[in-house]
Amino acid sequence: MSLLIKNGTIVNDDAMFKSDVLVHDGKIVEIAPSIDPTPGLEVVDATDRFVIPGGIDPHTHMQLPFMGEVAKDDFHRGTEAAVAGGTTMIIDFVIPTKGESLLVAYDRWRGWADPKVVCDYGLSMAITSWGQEIAKEMEMVTKADYGINSFKFFLAYAGVFMVRDEEFYQGMLQCAKLRALARVHAENGAVIAERCEHLLSSGITGPEGHTQSRPEELEAEATFRACTMASQANCPLYVVHVMSKGAAAAIAHHRKKGAVVFGEPIAAGLATDGSHYYNEDWLHAARYIMSPPLSRDPSTPNALMKLLAAGELHLTATDNCTFDCHQKSLGKDDFTKIPNGVNGVEDRMSVVWDKGVHAGIIDPMKFVAVTSTMAAKIFNCYPRKGRIAVGSDADIVVWNANATRTISKDTHHHAIDFNIFEGMQVHGVPETTICRGRIVWADGQLRTVQGAGRFVPLPPDSQIVFSAVDNRGKALEPVKVERAPYVATTLEAPDANANIVVKTRSAVPPGGISSIQF
Ligand code: URP
Ligand code: ZN
Ligand code: ZN
């Protein structure tokens, strides 16, 4: 099957230029100023439109069993929502239950996803318990047959997914050995558990308790700690859902010291804030419950966008994990029972365009970088994904920067009965979405085929993640001081009844001690 996209402006992360794009058998086969259509070729007119790489959402939870419920967007509805919004690949998380084999959990996720996805997908894997068996299985799933190149550690959700610091540290040592990226949900789970108890016993049972149980400094503290521990393990780190200025500052602090750490704000955190938790309508407030919570500082969304512009945060995701009104209402008497998670996979591209490019904070190339190219590089599928280039997969979006749309539950493709961006008018509309050469979204209609998406194995040792690590490691090697055997020296004491023992000290070894401080 062949397609010709004519008269558009191609946007990659590093350049924009007018060109036609010819697609054949799922790949981009030619890019040239003018390509003549041949008979039978389907032509997509992109006049006055941008032609961009399809979005990659590196953080979703389709049909996740969580807090006694199952997320409503499954791999079918969730990927349909994705392509309707201009996203052509997701990276979802396999999350084993505590003590469960990684391989068993992996097979379950593949069994859910493979028959349902309408676009390509990859997998990341959570480590929810620790031991030698898990370490061994981590090694197995990083092989090509499984295609996992990142592992996520939760520092929150005590008793469910949370790991202890020593487990996190050992897990990161294993990640570094396997050249796999460590990802972290950074919150102080122990303090949150205590605060929840205290708030509930003080009679605060509504959604406002959720945000009060998780003050921003608990995210900032855990982010700083995670970065510090990653540095000690010499393991690159990816902080998922950066929701606050404090967490972003912790990442920037470690970046400035040379650490390899990536920060991911999400659509929800870039476009809305935590004032919703104080809404007098219980259900309205409950719809926004996610962790870490949306920031109560109304200037945070704009600040996070500016940090993307400045390169202090690196790419965008959604953490799409949707529960409907009925599911949210299960926590009506206790905010800790409201299933955590919000929508985003359909609206991320428009929200980032509107709040970023339309607002004058980022340019279209940076938009492409933070919505697809960085994800493709970090998760090691670049330039197959995340670039408009000959040889790349034909995951392409024809983007109309001048069009607007109003986000609504009445028109979205999610499986839930509300949308956290309800009523928001956004500039930037995906008019045509193409997944590996097939048009899956055009003229406001889905043209998807369930199961047509493919699993994309993600190999370890991504260049952008691991290239600096070996040289950093040299500076972390243990230093041994070569000394003459220790001899205790006894001095004559001024007081005849007391002895003073002076220990000898060795000099710094000839090579010196590294001056690099981590
Ligand atoms: O509230 C959230 N974020 N739900 C999904 C699970 C997670 O923490 O990523
Ligand atoms: Zn999380
Ligand atoms: Zn998540």
Side-chain angles (χ1 to χ4, degrees):
M1 187 190 158
S2 301
L3 265 181
L4 177 61
I5 306 168
K6 275 211 75 70
N7 304 320
T9 299
I10 293 174
V11 187
N12 280 320
D13 67 325
D14 55 358
M16 295 165 63
F17 53 96
K18 269 190 177 294
S19 247
D20 294 349
V21 181
L22 184 64
V23 168
H24 183 65
D25 273 350
K27 295 275 182 196
I28 297 173
V29 293
E30 189 181 351
I31 295 177
S34 181
I35 303 173
D36 292 331
T38 50
L41 199 62
E42 185 166 1
V43 178
V44 178
D45 181 15
T47 307
D48 297 331
R49 310 288 192 266
F50 291 119
V51 177
I52 63 172
I56 300 173
D57 183 345
H59 182 171
T60 66
H61 301 284
M62 303 307 176
Q63 63 191 84
L64 176 68
F66 187 39
M67 298 181 73
E69 293 296 306
V70 176
K72 280 284 167 189
D73 284 336
D74 65 2
F75 281 95
H76 180 223
R77 292 293 293 274
T79 52
E80 284 200 329
V83 300
T87 287
T88 55
M89 179 175 171
I90 61 165
I91 300 178
D92 203 86
F93 287 89
V94 176
I95 308 189
T97 53
K98 265 199 188 293
E100 187 182 28
S101 151
L102 306 190
L103 309 184
V104 170
Y106 176 94
D107 286 343
R108 189 161 68 250
W109 252 260
R110 289 293 304 270
W112 287 337
D114 286 354
K116 288 189 182 173
V117 285
V118 305
C119 66
D120 286 1
Y121 81 104
L123 289 172
S124 188
M125 181 167 268
I127 300 300
T128 54
S129 41
W130 186 247
Q132 277 323 298
E133 196 52 35
I134 299 287
K136 233 186 287 161
E137 288 188 347
M138 282 173 75
E139 183 168 0
M140 288 174 74
V141 299
T142 54
K143 305 283 183 238
D145 290 353
Y146 289 90
I148 299 281
N149 70 357
S150 64
F151 295 95
K152 177 178 175 186
F153 300 84
F154 288 91
L155 305 185
Y157 307 130
V160 187
F161 297 150
M162 189 166 108
V163 288
R164 297 193 309 272
D165 278 2
E166 57 270 37
E167 297 172 324
F168 177 37
Y169 181 68
Q170 286 174 28
M172 285 194 289
L173 289 175
Q174 180 68 347
C175 282
K177 194 170 132 200
L178 300 173
R179 316 287 276 193
L181 177 62
R183 304 176 79 184
V184 67
H185 171 133
E187 286 186 292
N188 189 317
V191 175
I192 289 166
E194 295 287 325
R195 290 184 66 85
C196 285
E197 289 281 305
H198 176 70
L199 284 155
L200 288 170
S201 65
S202 318
I204 297 175
T205 58
E208 69 280 11
H210 178 74
T211 178
Q212 292 177 64
S213 72
R214 307 171 108 98
E216 286 188 15
E217 65 180 13
L218 297 185
E219 187 196 356
E221 179 277 327
T223 304
F224 198 97
R225 176 163 39 105
C227 292
T228 305
M229 290 170 65
S231 210
Q232 290 302 309
N234 195 27
C235 181
L237 183 69
Y238 178 120
V239 184
V240 300
H241 47 44
V242 175
M243 303 299 285
S244 63
K245 293 178 192 170
I251 293 166
H253 173 87
H254 285 85
R255 272 250 159 201
K256 280 175 198 144
K257 295 202 318 171
V260 181
V261 50
F262 302 99
E264 168 212 89
I266 62 170
L270 290 164
T272 186
D273 65 47
S275 57
H276 295 286
Y277 299 126
Y278 291 88
N279 194 292
E280 286 180 4
D281 176 347
W282 186 93
L283 189 55
H284 178 100
R287 288 171 182 148
Y288 293 82
I289 296 287
M290 67 157 300
S291 296
L294 293 160
S295 172
R296 278 186 271 162
D297 173 350
S299 67
T300 297
N302 198 247
L304 294 178
M305 184 61 77
K306 287 181 176 161
L307 290 169
L308 279 169
E312 295 202 352
L313 295 174
H314 308 93
L315 73 171
T316 62
T318 63
D319 195 13
N320 193 91
C321 184
T322 54
F323 298 98
D324 66 13
C325 289
H326 169 70
Q327 292 174 308
K328 292 279 184 186
S329 73
L330 297 173
K332 68 182 171 43
D333 301 318
D334 176 348
F335 67 85
T336 66
K337 296 196 165 55
I338 302 170
N340 284 206
V342 296
N343 62 285
V345 77
E346 182 160 355
D347 300 316
R348 175 183 66 129
M349 300 287 280
S350 290
V351 154
V352 175
W353 187 276
D354 188 80
K355 308 283 178 199
V357 184
H358 185 72
I361 298 173
I362 60 175
D363 64 40
M365 292 172 286
K366 188 73 175 183
F367 171 79
V368 165
V370 301
T371 56
S372 69
T373 310
M374 272 304 276
K377 288 180 180 175
I378 289 172
F379 293 98
N380 214 5
C381 54
Y382 180 85
R384 176 179 167 192
K385 305 287 188 189
R387 189 162 187 86
I388 305 289
V390 171
S392 295
D393 281 0
D395 289 351
I396 303 171
V397 174
V398 178
W399 188 262
N400 188 342
N402 300 315
T404 60
R405 70 185 180 95
T406 302
I407 298 173
S408 173
K409 67 175 173 41
D410 300 327
T411 47
H412 74 196
H413 297 82
H414 291 281
I416 53 167
D417 44 4
F418 67 91
N419 188 310
I420 60 161
F421 308 114
E422 186 69 35
M424 198 177 282
Q425 201 204 45
V426 284
H427 296 78
V429 171
E431 285 186 343
T432 306
T433 304
I434 298 162
C435 285
R436 264 187 305 98
R438 287 171 297 105
I439 296 179
V440 290
W441 168 256
D443 307 317
Q445 298 296 321
L446 287 167
R447 296 195 211 165
T448 52
V449 177
Q450 203 173 154
R454 293 218 190 114
F455 176 65
V456 180
L458 303 170
D461 209 10
S462 147
Q463 287 181 357
I464 199 172
V465 176
F466 276 97
S467 296
V469 158
D470 294 338
N471 285 336
R472 276 179 63 77
K474 286 182 200 151
L476 280 172
E477 274 164 18
V479 176
K480 180 170 167 49
V481 177
E482 298 298 344
R483 300 183 175 87
Y486 168 74
V487 182
T489 314
T490 306
L491 294 181
E492 200 170 296
D495 173 349
N497 296 324
N499 286 335
I500 297 171
V501 176
V502 177
K503 292 181 182 174
T504 53
R505 277 178 180 271
S506 300
V508 172
I513 295 172
S514 166
S515 61
I516 301 174
Q517 299 291 313
F518 294 105

